[in-house]
Amino acid sequence: MQLPTWSGHHWRLIQHFLQMTLLLSLLCPPTEPVPSDSGSSSSPGEGCEGFQVDVCGLCAGDGSTCELFSGTLFLSVLSVGYHKILDIPSGAQRIKIQETQKTRNYLALRTATGDSVINGDWMIDRPGQFYAVGTQLTYKRPNEIRSRAGESITAPGPTNQELHLFVIYQQPNPAVYYEYILPKKPITDSHSDAYSYSSVLPLVESHGIFLDPGNSDSENSLSSSHPNQVPSDLITPEPVPLYSWIAITTAPCSVTCGTGSRQVLFGCVERATQTTVPGDLCSFTSHPSPQVEECQSQPCPAFWDVGEWSECSKTCGPGFQYRQVICQQAQGHHGNSTVIVATSFCDNTEMPETTTVCQLKICSEWQIRSDWTECSVPCGVGQRKREVVCVDNLGDIVADEECNMALRPQDLQNCDKGVCASSWFCSLWSNRCSADCAEGSRSRSVVCMMSQTNSLPLDNCDDEDKPDELMPCDLGPCTQRLEWYTGPWGQCSSECGNGTQSRGVVCVVQNSGQLEVTPEDRCSHLLRPPSAQTCFLKSCGSQWYMTEWSSCSRSCDGGFRVREVRCLQDDLTTSHDCDPALEPANKENCNTHICTPPIDESCRDMYYNCVVVVQARLCVYSYYRTTCCASCSRVTQRDALHRIR
């Protein structure tokens, strides 16, 4: 039988097919096929409908082809800087690194040779995609305000180098969770079903497919005595191509400064003369795959990084705003990271302003609209007032809160008119009304008394200031009668001593046994019965008398007021027979509200956030007492008042 004549090109295709088959058999170990309705099998991880993918990523697998490594690293107090916490071996897949909670620390990766991958050399990279050690790594740093999750680094793998995980320590007690898998190494025993090169050779030989017979190396040939082998004298050598692809030039660099990338451009040339020819002459050879190389141009110029303006230091009137201005320079691939440099690097441009003047509105001010009034008492300690208002820049009166309360002028102060010569003393009001119905009155005793040195009634008290001796009372309408109808006398207005009692008197007319009230002028010819009279049930004996309250000793921060209380007999002489349990108080507290601090033009708050200084209890330091003088002074006065109380 005559063998077919195969060209060298055919043999090279067969050789390439065989090499790819051997390579796939080594890199992709066979797995048990997943049963289906048609009886066909599927590759691992594909067509997994109805089946579960195991931890190794295999469809319906049992997790035996890989090993999972995971755990949580708890770190105590460390020094500020880089600390290596984990080594991730080469070949790792499905890598996941995650901070258990958000901290001020950073995650960093380096290769085993010391090359930085993420956050190296004290440069914090922006979150994004990074390609290194044969895989793509995803670095995430969640939003610093809305998220509570920490940083994370993930990669599908497999890696071709060992990775070292670092933490850039800035906050105590960091905790980092890690997870990755490693494929288990195949067994090389030729008598087993493990994934080895020798287990494939019998399968290849059974199909009569051979490597290039022109190569006599034992590693590239199987058997020269195989019955289906093509004799070497029937093989035609493949001619050397006349044209080929070579790198001619490069595209422009992707960046104008720093480190970028550029594409290598290939052209078709004649091999003998190395002259450029049209590309279709190289159509019999494969075009090289796209190649990219790094390129470096001049360093990127430094620039001013400007922060946001702070709030105005004053809510009204001229104030200041501040912002942070730092000199930064772009570094890294495509300038994807920046680093703070000395301000001298930015000398070629003018530094932006860090402070500016601001004014939200014109401040309102206090105005005194009246003089002090007369003292509230003719003698003793009283009070006087004046009108103080807050006026805006248009002259309109506004709420007091629009003005600086620390600078508010006094509108109330004490006044002393000297010792009073005498005072009115009053007994308690009677509990009874002088009339059983209609209007009546309740009574009390009022006497003018000197100080403790004299217990006799005086006549030099001012009658205009004399307290009332009678107080109206009304127990409802009275019953009507014929002619002048008089009701029964009401109760005496006083349980003891002199009092009054009253009765109802009306003019009625009798008509067929019915009583009808008529106007009083129809009874004018009749003597009208009296409607009130004095009454005396018994002697009062000794009882308590007291003066009116004096003015408060202080206008604010807690003062007191006093009155005189005496036990007097019926003849108004001093007695000691009153019930002590019923003795009225002769002193009580008054004006307990906090005083407005004295006006001190030099004691002002220099910052708008002095309330934070007070809350943080920083007023004990002289610096804050000066910069937040008004706020700290109010706290000091309040604490002093609490200690007095």
Side-chain angles (χ1 to χ4, degrees):
M1 181 181 62
Q2 185 177 3
L3 296 175
T5 302
W6 289 353
S7 66
H9 179 66
H10 292 154
W11 284 110
R12 186 168 298 278
L13 289 177
I14 294 173
Q15 178 185 6
H16 180 67
F17 173 80
L18 180 57
Q19 290 174 346
M20 291 299 296
T21 302
L22 294 177
L23 180 60
L24 290 175
S25 67
L26 291 175
L27 296 180
C28 301
T31 59
E32 291 295 331
V34 179
S36 62
D37 296 338
S38 61
S40 61
S41 61
S42 59
S43 60
E46 299 179 357
C48 273
E49 293 81 358
F51 297 92
Q52 186 175 3
V53 179
D54 69 352
V55 69
C56 304
L58 297 181
C59 177
D62 58 0
S64 61
T65 60
C66 71
E67 186 172 358
L68 174 65
F69 297 85
S70 64
T72 302
L73 304 172
F74 296 96
L75 308 176
S76 58
V77 179
L78 305 172
S79 60
V80 176
Y82 286 83
H83 295 272
K84 186 168 74 169
I85 59 175
L86 181 66
D87 291 335
I88 303 176
S90 177
Q93 302 179 25
R94 299 179 66 179
I95 301 172
K96 179 181 178 182
I97 304 168
Q98 173 76 55
E99 280 189 303
T100 60
Q101 62 181 0
K102 182 170 67 176
T103 66
R104 296 195 304 273
N105 304 317
Y106 295 93
L107 299 175
L109 281 179
R110 295 180 188 170
T111 64
T113 58
D115 296 330
S116 173
V117 178
I118 296 175
N119 293 343
D121 300 325
W122 289 104
M123 290 190 299
I124 304 303
D125 297 314
R126 298 173 182 170
Q129 310 289 334
F130 298 82
Y131 188 84
V133 296
T135 186
Q136 178 174 285
L137 299 104
T138 301
Y139 173 45
K140 293 183 179 180
R141 183 166 58 246
N143 184 280
E144 296 184 357
I145 298 177
R146 294 188 296 270
S147 176
R148 294 185 177 181
E151 294 190 340
S152 66
I153 300 175
T154 57
T159 58
N160 57 18
Q161 290 187 47
E162 182 179 273
L163 280 175
H164 294 173
L165 175 63
F166 289 78
V167 61
I168 306 177
Y169 179 85
Q170 297 186 87
Q171 179 177 334
N173 301 320
V176 180
Y177 173 79
Y178 69 91
E179 176 183 305
Y180 63 88
I181 64 171
L182 285 176
K184 293 184 178 179
K185 295 183 179 179
I187 303 173
T188 58
D189 186 1
S190 61
H191 299 287
S192 65
D193 293 332
Y195 321 133
S196 62
Y197 178 82
S198 59
S199 64
V200 184
L201 291 180
L203 178 64
V204 176
E205 292 178 353
S206 65
H207 286 76
I209 300 175
F210 297 90
L211 299 175
D212 187 357
N215 191 340
S216 61
D217 294 341
S218 59
E219 61 179 340
N220 293 329
S221 61
L222 297 178
S223 175
S224 60
S225 58
H226 196 278
N228 293 334
Q229 183 176 2
V230 180
S232 60
D233 55 353
L234 298 179
I235 299 176
T236 303
E238 184 178 359
V240 177
L242 299 177
Y243 307 98
S244 63
W245 296 100
I246 65 171
I248 296 179
T249 184
T250 58
C253 192
S254 61
V255 295
T256 58
C257 65
T259 303
S261 59
R262 60 187 178 189
Q263 187 176 5
V264 179
L265 303 179
F266 292 87
C268 183
V269 298
E270 186 178 7
R271 295 175 64 91
T273 62
Q274 294 294 306
T275 57
T276 304
V277 296
D280 55 357
L281 296 178
C282 291
S283 60
F284 295 100
T285 60
S286 60
H287 192 285
S289 59
Q291 297 183 16
V292 178
E293 64 181 12
E294 285 192 353
C295 54
Q296 290 186 342
S297 57
Q298 61 182 355
C300 290
F303 61 94
W304 294 109
D305 187 13
V306 179
E308 297 292 333
W309 285 109
S310 67
E311 296 183 2
C312 192
S313 61
K314 298 290 184 65
T315 56
C316 66
F320 296 95
Q321 287 179 290
Y322 307 94
R323 65 180 177 182
Q324 186 182 42
V325 178
I326 57 177
C327 183
Q328 291 192 342
Q329 188 176 32
Q331 294 188 3
H333 196 65
H334 291 282
N336 58 358
S337 64
T338 59
V339 63
I340 299 175
V341 297
T343 55
S344 58
F345 284 76
C346 296
D347 286 344
N348 58 332
T349 58
E350 184 179 359
M351 181 178 180
E353 294 291 337
T354 60
T355 304
T356 185
V357 178
C358 58
Q359 180 169 323
L360 301 179
K361 62 179 181 179
I362 300 176
C363 290
S364 302
E365 62 179 4
W366 296 107
Q367 282 189 5
I368 300 174
R369 292 292 183 92
S370 67
D371 296 329
W372 288 108
T373 62
E374 293 293 331
C375 194
S376 60
V377 294
C379 62
V381 178
Q383 289 183 326
R384 60 178 186 172
K385 302 177 181 179
R386 65 179 177 181
E387 184 182 10
V388 177
V389 295
C390 180
V391 180
D392 62 13
N393 59 321
L394 300 178
D396 298 327
I397 298 177
V398 294
D400 286 358
E401 290 73 14
E402 295 291 327
C403 292
N404 189 345
M405 296 300 294
L407 302 179
R408 190 180 192 276
Q410 277 187 306
D411 61 348
L412 187 67
Q413 69 175 198
N414 289 348
C415 52
D416 190 350
K417 301 295 288 185
V419 179
C420 292
S422 58
S423 299
W424 289 107
F425 283 68
C426 307
S427 66
L428 297 175
W429 287 106
S430 64
N431 293 326
R432 295 181 179 180
C433 189
S434 61
D436 294 330
C437 58
E439 295 182 354
S441 61
R442 297 167 60 192
S443 62
R444 66 178 177 180
S445 298
V446 179
V447 294
C448 179
M449 302 282 301
M450 197 65 154
S451 61
Q452 294 285 358
T453 58
N454 190 353
S455 60
L456 297 177
L458 301 177
D459 297 327
N460 60 350
C461 293
D462 191 351
D463 290 336
E464 293 181 358
D465 296 330
K466 182 180 180 180
D468 294 330
E469 295 180 284
L470 297 176
M471 184 172 86
C473 55
D474 191 347
L475 299 180
C478 296
T479 305
Q480 302 176 5
R481 290 188 178 184
L482 294 171
E483 299 176 351
W484 283 113
Y485 176 80
T486 58
W489 288 107
Q491 295 182 1
C492 191
S493 62
S494 178
E495 295 89 351
C496 63
N498 293 324
T500 59
Q501 57 184 169
S502 61
R503 63 181 178 180
V505 178
V506 294
C507 181
V508 296
V509 63
Q510 182 179 10
N511 185 16
S512 300
Q514 299 295 325
L515 299 179
E516 182 180 359
V517 179
T518 64
E520 290 188 0
D521 58 351
R522 297 184 61 184
C523 298
S524 60
H525 62 286
L526 301 174
L527 180 64
R528 191 179 191 278
S531 60
Q533 68 179 8
T534 60
C535 59
F536 181 88
L537 298 181
K538 63 177 180 178
S539 297
C540 290
S542 300
Q543 63 176 331
W544 293 107
Y545 287 76
M546 74 288 295
T547 64
E548 296 290 339
W549 288 109
S550 69
S551 299
C552 193
S553 62
R554 293 179 62 111
S555 60
C556 58
D557 278 352
F560 64 92
R561 59 181 183 176
V562 297
R563 63 182 177 183
E564 285 192 54
V565 178
R566 296 186 188 181
C567 179
L568 302 177
Q569 297 180 3
D570 291 337
D571 58 355
L572 301 181
T573 59
T574 302
S575 173
H576 300 285
D577 297 331
C578 296
D579 187 356
L582 300 179
E583 181 181 3
N586 61 1
K587 181 179 180 181
E588 70 176 8
N589 294 331
C590 55
N591 293 339
T592 57
H593 59 277
I594 300 175
C595 285
T596 302
I599 301 175
D600 186 357
E601 296 293 336
S602 63
C603 184
R604 297 183 178 182
D605 289 343
M606 301 174 62
Y607 297 103
Y608 70 97
N609 58 350
C610 282
V611 64
V612 178
V613 173
V614 173
Q615 293 174 353
R617 302 180 182 273
L618 298 177
C619 289
V620 296
Y621 300 101
S622 59
Y623 170 78
Y624 290 106
R625 286 199 302 271
T626 302
T627 57
C628 297
C629 180
S631 297
C632 288
S633 296
R634 287 194 294 270
V635 173
T636 302
Q637 293 175 1
R638 182 187 63 196
D639 293 342
L641 178 59
H642 287 171
R643 287 193 297 270
I644 292 174
R645 293 178 179 175

